[in-house]
Amino acid sequence: MRTSIATVSLSGSLTEKLTAAARAGFDGVEIFENDLLASPLTPEEIRARCADLGLTIDLYQPMRDVEAVPAEEFARTLRRARHKFALMRRLGADTVLVCSSVSPLAVDDDALAAEQLAALAGLAQESGIRVAYEALAWGRHVSTYDHAWRIVEAAGHPALGTCLDSFHILSRTSDPDDLDGIEVIPGEKIFFLQLADAPRLAMDVLQWSRHHRCFPGQGGFDVAGLVRRVLRTGYTGPLSLEVFNDVFRQSDAGATAVDAQRSLRVLKEQVGLTAPSAPVVPTGVAFAELVTPDAEPVAALLGALGFARTARHRGKPVDLWQRGEARVLVNTGPAARRDGTRLAAVGLETPDPAGAARRAEALLAPVLPRRRAPEDAPLEAVAAPDGTELFFCAAPGEGRPDWRSDFAGTGAAPADGGGCRIDHLALTQPWHHFDEAALFHRSVLGLSPQQAVDVADPYGLLRSRAVTNDDGTVRIVLTVGAAPTDDTAPAQHIALATDDVVAAARRFRAAGGSLLPIPANYYDDLAARYEFAEGELETYRDLGILYDRDAHGAFRHCYTHTVGRVFFELLQRDGGYRGYGAPNASVRLAAQHAARGFTGG
């Protein structure tokens, strides 16, 4: 089935939008009227440009406030329509979107609405154009898809059909039974299908629509369920994205178009239009790779955390540090000269590295070239939306080449683990990639997104969302700041789980490490909220350990100071605790600002 995207979904000039849509693999576009009005190109030049790019113009939109209006107002509408239909012939577009009226002149009269829409369709038919009538969720008298269809059916004109829009439908209901009427509509009378997702928000539907739509799979709507119903009618038109989003309007059009196309490829799998290719879900974290121009402070920090430098890459300036099951690579190669110390790559253990790479490439993840000596283990790598490199590594003991065979041992044994392993990785996303990152990790890696959390930072508000595999052996926390103009390099962190965080914190401090100090006021509040054993709270206060509980257990955690853009977290999960200490995040962020004036991640 063909794919299309409304130009309003992308940023830039009309030419830039068309180019981005074509490069992302779309078959067609909806031309939004404002984009055409602002373009220096003539309609004929736009038509030729689309043809050169392999794009069809599937829809011209919108015409507003057409139906159920006084006769003199409708006469003005027909005059406007003649001009627009002539323009559409020049563009080569054969379908126009008509939105249900919001005009104060409109009356609640379905018979008049049907009569006037039939007259408009008759005029359109003379120009070889079809009219797709859509119910706006905030329409004055027509605000539901089934009401719009009743008017179209009553009009009975062959050039008049309906447009179904997932936002306008799903923003008004979450009850699947309310969608039964879709399958009553003959597929040939559904002239167009527009798709958008959105987070579930309690707000005015017009503002919700204009600012918070997103691509399918990025919000809380059952877009796939709606599409399945539409397909059962026999609809054969394109799947078209119409997304109004403040972030997308300011983001690079090329990246947004790729994100949009990825969302439709996943949607096609969900509804059975393409053969499903299940994600190869990672089973563990093989390593986290830091790049740094100065290995000394990183080595000192890792040493204090109990890591030992156990191996060095045979052909690259990369050291392997290990404690228990936690492995950290320290890369001082050419890439380390940019941006200071940062978390640049993650190795993900997977039962099928080649299949994971194929899945990633099919969903438009950039495949990264890798300089590899003949004796090096084959490792496929792709880039996540934030630029983090993801390596697909064979799970240990499966008889496949092991990435660790590329390293020569230093003679040092891995440090005693104390149950140490990588619990989660926190990656701060560029402000305009948060929704894209959530969809990427869900669709490409098969990780399940958890509920988004807002965290108060002293200088703004952070959004955070974790993605995990089923057993929690892979956890990635995606965080984004609210300010697109903030050019402060965002922090990242590696969270290390231990069997005893108090003992781990004491060992770290005894080895010369410095833990992030937490204000005394936090512990006064903690004493009011929870009961602790004698001396327990004093221990937490001394070491800077924070505490949280959920329905499943308790969580204790503390933080190192930041080196470059990276800091470490030591944590202990008891009794099946599932969270990440979100109630403590604002305290941690304030402490980091106080310590270094640094925006945390």
Side-chain angles (χ1 to χ4, degrees):
M1 182 169 272
R2 298 175 62 258
T3 61
S4 185
I5 187 168
T7 56
V8 74
S9 307
L10 304 171
S11 68
S13 68
L14 180 57
T15 300
E16 291 170 326
K17 296 179 182 197
L18 297 176
T19 301
R23 286 179 176 171
F26 283 92
D27 303 300
V29 291
E30 304 175 32
I31 299 288
F32 194 68
E33 186 169 69
N34 287 2
D35 287 321
L36 181 138
L37 298 181
S39 175
L41 301 180
T42 66
E44 291 80 7
E45 289 170 332
I46 294 169
R47 179 177 185 169
R49 176 63 176 161
C50 286
D52 289 344
L53 291 169
L55 295 171
T56 56
I57 300 177
D58 296 327
L59 188 75
Y60 184 76
Q61 64 137 319
M63 285 189 67
R64 303 185 187 276
D65 300 331
V66 167
E67 82 284 10
V69 294
E72 62 274 13
E73 183 65 23
F74 186 64
R76 284 190 285 271
T77 294
L78 291 180
R79 178 183 177 278
R80 173 164 51 105
R82 289 187 183 93
H83 283 273
K84 295 305 177 185
F85 296 158
L87 170 66
M88 290 176 62
R89 286 199 304 272
R90 296 170 65 194
L91 273 175
D94 65 1
T95 306
V96 64
L97 178 71
V98 172
C99 303
S100 62
S101 180
V102 298
S103 170
L105 298 175
V107 296
D108 188 6
D109 185 337
D110 285 4
L112 179 60
E115 177 187 334
Q116 292 181 340
L117 285 170
L120 180 72
L123 184 63
Q125 189 176 41
E126 295 173 7
S127 300
I129 290 169
R130 305 186 308 167
V131 175
Y133 180 54
E134 170 189 69
L136 295 178
W138 54 90
R140 181 172 174 81
H141 300 296
V142 179
S143 57
T144 62
Y145 77 91
D146 49 344
H147 191 176
W149 164 240
R150 289 196 300 272
I151 292 174
V152 168
E153 189 176 29
H157 197 287
L160 177 66
T162 190
C163 172
L164 298 179
D165 182 303
S166 66
F167 179 86
H168 292 303
I169 297 171
L170 297 175
S171 64
R172 296 184 60 90
T173 182
S174 58
D175 186 347
D177 291 342
D178 292 339
L179 306 182
D180 289 345
I182 289 176
E183 296 181 57
V184 174
I185 306 171
E188 65 272 14
K189 295 300 286 185
I190 301 174
F191 283 1
F192 212 73
L193 175 62
Q194 292 180 318
L195 302 175
D197 205 338
R200 288 285 180 185
L201 300 172
M203 67 185 304
D204 173 75
V205 69
L206 177 58
Q207 296 304 312
W208 190 12
S209 172
R210 286 288 177 259
H211 302 285
H212 298 285
R213 296 194 196 192
C214 52
F215 296 128
Q218 295 178 342
F221 291 169
D222 182 14
V223 178
L226 182 143
V227 171
R228 290 189 194 99
R229 290 178 179 270
V230 174
L231 294 177
R232 286 197 288 267
T233 70
Y235 173 76
T236 58
L239 301 178
S240 190
L241 297 171
E242 186 199 38
V243 174
F244 298 85
N245 185 291
D246 293 345
V247 172
F248 296 169
R249 289 187 179 105
Q250 301 173 70
S251 305
D252 174 71
T256 302
V258 169
D259 186 29
Q261 181 63 232
R262 179 181 298 124
S263 76
L264 285 184
R265 293 190 181 189
V266 175
L267 181 66
K268 283 184 172 183
E269 290 182 350
Q270 292 174 323
V271 302
L273 286 171
T274 57
S277 172
V280 181
V281 182
T283 56
V285 177
F287 60 80
E289 181 175 349
L290 304 179
V291 297
T292 180
D294 184 0
E296 185 175 343
V298 176
L301 178 58
L302 289 171
L305 286 167
F307 282 76
R309 189 174 73 89
T310 60
R312 184 170 178 83
H313 196 279
R314 299 179 189 278
K316 300 173 186 176
V318 181
D319 291 327
L320 169 60
W321 291 74
Q322 188 167 349
R323 181 185 174 196
E325 297 177 9
R327 292 171 289 274
V328 176
L329 304 183
V330 179
N331 185 337
T332 54
R337 296 167 194 160
R338 307 188 310 269
D339 304 325
T341 301
R342 69 189 193 281
L343 176 56
V346 177
L348 296 172
E349 292 175 353
T350 170
D352 182 6
R358 285 194 300 271
R359 169 74 177 179
E361 189 172 5
L363 292 180
L364 306 177
V367 176
L368 299 174
R370 181 170 178 258
R371 180 173 60 85
R372 184 170 70 87
E375 65 274 13
D376 286 351
L379 278 180
E380 302 288 349
V382 299
D386 66 348
T388 301
E389 297 181 4
L390 301 177
F391 288 88
F392 299 117
C393 306
E398 296 206 357
R400 297 187 180 95
D402 190 326
W403 63 272
R404 282 170 288 194
S405 64
D406 296 346
F407 289 77
T410 62
D416 176 42
C420 186
R421 63 193 182 280
I422 293 178
D423 180 87
H424 65 271
L425 302 164
L427 303 175
T428 302
Q429 305 299 301
W431 68 275
H432 53 293
H433 284 311
F434 186 72
D435 288 332
E436 179 185 2
L439 176 63
F440 175 92
H441 286 83
R442 179 179 69 81
S443 61
V444 174
L445 302 181
L447 301 178
S448 300
Q450 309 302 299
Q451 185 173 0
V453 176
D454 289 337
V455 177
D457 177 89
Y459 299 97
L461 189 70
L462 302 181
R463 290 176 65 201
S464 180
R465 191 172 196 180
V467 292
T468 74
N469 64 358
D470 288 343
D471 62 4
T473 53
V474 177
R475 297 185 179 101
I476 298 174
V477 179
L478 309 170
T479 304
V480 67
T485 56
D486 183 6
D487 59 1
T488 306
Q492 310 155 311
H493 82 261
I494 301 172
L496 302 172
T498 70
D499 293 337
D500 186 340
V501 72
V502 170
R506 284 175 171 158
R507 282 195 300 267
F508 176 71
R509 199 160 66 176
S514 176
L515 291 166
L516 185 71
I518 302 300
N521 292 332
Y522 169 79
Y523 295 100
D524 291 341
D525 178 69
L526 210 56
R529 290 190 291 128
Y530 301 111
E531 291 185 10
F532 295 97
E534 184 176 352
E536 184 179 359
L537 189 59
E538 288 69 26
T539 298
Y540 296 164
R541 188 193 306 264
D542 175 53
L543 295 171
I545 291 175
L546 300 104
Y547 182 87
D548 186 36
R549 266 184 215 165
D550 65 11
H552 307 280
F555 190 63
R556 300 164 177 85
H557 57 137
C558 57
Y559 298 90
T560 72
H561 284 276
T562 304
V563 175
R565 290 175 53 191
V566 179
F567 61 95
F568 285 80
E569 177 183 8
L570 295 170
L571 63 86
Q572 178 181 339
R573 295 178 183 270
D574 290 328
Y577 177 91
R578 296 180 182 179
Y580 300 84
N584 299 323
S586 59
V587 176
R588 184 261 297 175
L589 289 162
Q592 287 178 317
H593 279 293
R596 292 195 57 179
F598 200 89
T599 301

